[in-house]
Amino acid sequence: MSDSGYWQFCEIIERTKIPGPTITTPAETEQVVLEQHTDTGEYRVRPLKTVMEDAADG
């Protein structure tokens, strides 16, 4: 069976990343895009910046 679906936008999520193992390392906030594959139902998360760059490239 071939994979004929596509990734569909679900929502933009803001999440907190903890960059280091210590409590003194400041946390970073990033925006990501949640997408769902129309054929498999699988979800993926991609950085908003990457999604916007891909859209600009056509």
Side-chain angles (χ1 to χ4, degrees):
M1 184 172 153
S2 67
D3 186 25
S4 60
Y6 59 92
W7 291 101
Q8 181 176 0
F9 169 83
C10 292
E11 66 181 295
I12 296 175
I13 301 169
E14 192 169 282
R15 69 178 180 182
T16 302
K17 290 174 38 179
I18 300 172
T22 65
I23 199 162
T24 58
T25 305
E28 300 173 358
T29 301
E30 71 172 345
Q31 290 184 319
V32 295
V33 176
L34 176 65
E35 300 171 315
Q36 183 178 24
H37 198 273
T38 59
D39 193 34
T40 64
E42 176 185 4
Y43 286 95
R44 73 176 179 185
V45 175
R46 296 195 302 151
L48 179 59
K49 182 179 178 181
T50 302
V51 173
M52 298 301 287
E53 288 171 353
D54 289 351
D57 291 342

